[in-house]
């Protein structure tokens, strides 16, 4: 009887995952039509176009929409592993398998003694809240690597470092996973991996780092926090435009460059706060690694010039890793990220036309979604600080250092 009761939550979790993922597959395969613009066209047109260029041995250097580090080529080329399907179908299947891989990793972590299945539930519930966009972008593949990185990090810093380096060359943001790493071996392994893979791509495939110029020239995307300034200004006669620019729908017009520069400044402030936290932090528990990564990615997401819907996939994945630990302080911020995900699917793709046209509905959805993300960010930063920084500096330094070393080598079930 006790065994049956213990298995019931797992059965419900797996059943929920199966049903929700079947629905997502039916949407991306267009058996059912999801409201709003077709989110799968990026795969069938943009990704497949890049695929045709990449398979010739070079990067799409003349395409300003290519704004990804060199290892992203592996994700774009991955549908070749399933030659019996057309490109888009193979991509959707691989995205589904990446989703499954995350679930397996979270279950393996959550079923250990003194751990929790809350993390797996966050992933199971959070992904379908974002709609079919999850399977129509390669971010779910990057998130799978990031989840594996954090779950390995407590006991295997070198493996964490190598995976972080690889993931950072897939889509840059996973470098923030090192925010809470205190072992030099993790940082060293990441640096070696990035250097080795970057050199290999630069040698074998021309144009590996052309993306840096394209990223630099991006403006303020209509879904970002800074874009709210122009959504409101349009109600009072601001003479700007909304156009597809550098691969995203951006504002163009007076003062846009000022807001974009302000976003870069806030990103620098976020980096400064993270650096200050690392210098002040003394109490590093096993769950601090995931808590710090989640907070860092939140900080850089809300200060970015672009907040695309697929960015929420990263946050849901990192929140899920945090909640695998019963001791995490990130339960509240994780709940706010789930709430933001449910609003995100409304602003894109369901009511994206309202967002682009700055209608009252579109502006309201953005205020709610971005407000939830901003609240989650501030809450996560405060909780991370209070859980790791002592109120008064200790009299002697060796004790905190020993705590940091012990916590990182502690087993994941601690």
């Amino acid at each position: 009887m006790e065994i049956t009761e213990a298995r019931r939550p797992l059965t419900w979790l797996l059943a929920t995952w199966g049903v929700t993922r079947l629905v997502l597959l039916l949407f991306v395969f267009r058996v059912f039509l999801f409201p709003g613009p077709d989110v799968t066209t990026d795969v069938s047109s943009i990704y497949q176009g890049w695929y045709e260029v990449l398979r010739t041995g070079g990067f799409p250097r003349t395409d300003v929409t290519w704004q990804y580090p060199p290892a992203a080529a592996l994700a774009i080329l991955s549908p070749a592993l399933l030659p019996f399907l057309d490109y888009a179908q193979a991509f959707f299947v691989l995205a589904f398998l990446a989703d499954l891989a995350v679930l397996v990793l979270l279950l393996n972590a959550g079923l250990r003694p003194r751990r929790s299945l809350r993390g797996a539930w966050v992933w199971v519930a959070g992904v379908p809240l974002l709609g079919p966009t999850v399977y129509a972008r390669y971010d779910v593949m990057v998130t799978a690597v990031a989840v594996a990185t954090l779950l390995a990090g407590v006991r295997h810093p070198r493996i964490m470092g190598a995976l972080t380096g690889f993931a950072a060359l897939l889509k840059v943001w996973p470098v923030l996973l090192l925010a809470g790493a205190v072992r030099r071996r993790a940082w060293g392994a990441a640096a070696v991996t990035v250097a080795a893979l970057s050199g290999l791509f630069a040698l074998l495939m021309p144009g590996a780092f052309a993306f840096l110029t394209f990223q630099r020239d991006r403006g303020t995307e209509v879904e970002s926090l800074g874009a709210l300034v122009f959504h409101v200004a349009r109600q009072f006669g601001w003479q700007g435009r909304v156009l597809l620019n550098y691969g995203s729908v951006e504002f163009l017009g007076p003062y846009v460059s000022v807001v974009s520069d302000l976003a870069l400044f806030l990103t620098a402030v976020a980096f400064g706060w993270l650096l200050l936290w690392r210098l002040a932090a003394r109490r590093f528990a096993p769950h601090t690694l995931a808590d710090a990564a989640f907070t860092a990615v939140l900080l850089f997401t809300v200060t970015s010039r672009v907040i695309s819907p697929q960015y929420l996939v990263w946050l849901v994945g990192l929140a899920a890793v945090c909640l695998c630990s019963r001791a995490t302080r990130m339960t509240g911020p994780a709940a706010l990220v789930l709430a933001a995900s449910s609003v995100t699917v409304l602003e894109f793709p369901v009511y994206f036309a309202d967002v682009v046209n700055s209608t009252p509905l579109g502006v309201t959805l953005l205020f709610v979604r971005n407000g939830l993300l901003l609240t989650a960010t501030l809450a996560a930063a405060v909780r991370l600080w209070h859980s790791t920084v002592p109120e008064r500096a200790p009299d002697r330094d060796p004790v905190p250092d020993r705590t940091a070393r012990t916590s990182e080598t502690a087993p994941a079930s601690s």
Side-chain angles (χ1 to χ4, degrees):
M1 185 65 178
E2 290 181 0
I3 295 176
T4 303
E5 291 294 329
R7 288 180 177 175
R8 187 170 298 169
L10 182 59
T11 301
W12 276 107
L13 188 149
L14 294 175
T16 304
W17 183 88
V19 171
T20 55
R21 274 40 178 195
L22 175 60
V23 173
L24 288 180
L25 287 172
L26 291 174
F27 279 128
V28 293
F29 280 101
R30 298 185 62 77
V31 176
F32 300 136
L33 296 181
F34 200 79
D38 183 8
V39 300
T40 65
T41 55
D42 277 16
V43 177
S44 57
S45 57
I46 298 175
Y47 283 14
Q48 190 164 2
W50 291 339
Y51 171 83
E52 298 299 335
V53 176
L54 290 166
R55 66 189 300 194
T56 66
F59 286 88
R61 289 176 290 178
T62 59
D63 186 351
V64 296
T65 62
W66 176 261
Q67 299 174 13
Y68 308 107
L74 301 178
I76 303 302
L77 291 168
S78 62
L81 297 172
L82 303 175
F84 49 88
L85 298 174
D86 68 31
Y87 183 87
Q89 291 174 341
F91 186 90
F92 300 146
V93 170
L94 292 172
F96 166 80
L97 293 176
D99 178 7
L100 177 60
V102 174
L103 176 67
V104 171
L105 289 168
L106 293 171
L107 285 176
N108 182 58
L111 290 172
R112 293 176 182 175
R114 299 182 184 178
R115 304 283 277 181
S116 174
L117 284 176
R118 292 186 306 161
W121 272 113
V122 167
W123 181 254
V124 169
V127 167
L129 288 178
L130 294 167
T133 303
V134 176
Y135 285 178
R137 305 291 187 271
Y138 83 91
D139 296 81
V140 67
M141 303 175 184
V142 184
T143 302
V145 180
V147 169
T149 299
L150 287 176
L151 292 176
V154 174
R155 302 176 67 180
H156 306 287
R158 285 197 179 94
I159 294 177
M160 177 193 176
L163 288 174
T164 300
F166 173 65
L169 288 177
L170 280 172
K171 206 163 184 179
V172 181
W173 69 265
V175 73
L176 298 170
L177 302 179
L178 292 171
V182 294
R183 283 292 188 89
R184 293 181 180 178
R185 283 179 289 177
W187 289 84
V192 169
T193 302
V194 168
L197 290 179
S198 297
L200 189 63
F201 277 111
L203 181 65
L204 298 179
M205 298 181 70
F209 295 95
F211 79 98
L212 293 172
T213 300
F214 302 150
Q215 276 286 356
R216 180 196 62 198
D217 295 335
R218 295 193 76 165
T220 298
E221 190 252 351
V222 295
E223 298 164 276
S224 65
L225 192 64
L228 291 172
V229 173
F230 301 110
H231 283 295
V232 173
R234 289 177 95 182
Q235 315 304 315
F236 298 94
W238 178 72
Q239 298 299 314
R241 297 175 296 163
V242 176
L243 294 175
L244 184 63
N245 190 51
Y246 286 97
S248 63
V249 181
E250 299 180 354
F251 279 115
L252 298 176
Y255 306 109
V256 172
S257 60
V258 175
V259 172
S260 297
D261 290 342
L262 179 60
L264 292 175
F265 172 75
L266 291 176
T267 298
V269 171
F271 177 80
W273 183 89
L274 277 175
L275 181 59
L276 176 64
W277 167 74
R278 277 305 306 262
L279 294 174
R282 291 293 182 270
R283 299 190 295 261
F284 286 86
H287 61 85
T288 303
L289 187 67
D291 289 359
F294 179 50
T295 303
V297 175
L298 272 170
L299 282 166
F300 283 87
T301 297
V302 298
T303 60
S304 174
R305 293 170 293 175
V306 179
I307 304 181
S308 296
Q310 59 266 28
Y311 290 13
L312 274 293
V313 182
W314 319 341
L315 297 174
V316 170
L318 298 183
V321 177
C322 291
L323 266 67
C324 284
S325 170
R326 297 181 185 275
T328 183
R329 301 292 301 276
M330 296 298 153
T331 302
L336 289 170
V337 165
L338 291 180
S341 299
S342 66
V343 181
T344 295
V345 76
L346 295 178
E347 63 91 358
F348 183 89
V350 178
Y351 296 111
F352 191 58
D354 289 89
V355 171
V356 171
N357 292 304
S358 302
T359 69
L361 174 60
V363 175
T364 300
L365 288 173
L366 280 184
F367 263 104
V368 173
R369 195 282 300 271
N370 291 347
L372 288 168
L373 287 179
L374 180 60
T375 304
T377 302
L378 296 175
V382 169
R383 294 181 181 204
L384 179 66
W385 184 278
H386 286 310
S387 65
T388 57
V389 178
E391 295 183 4
R392 290 185 295 179
D395 295 330
R396 291 178 297 178
D397 237 354
V399 175
D401 291 341
R402 186 170 64 250
T403 303
R405 289 194 295 270
T406 303
S407 66
E408 205 175 45
T409 55
S413 61
S414 296

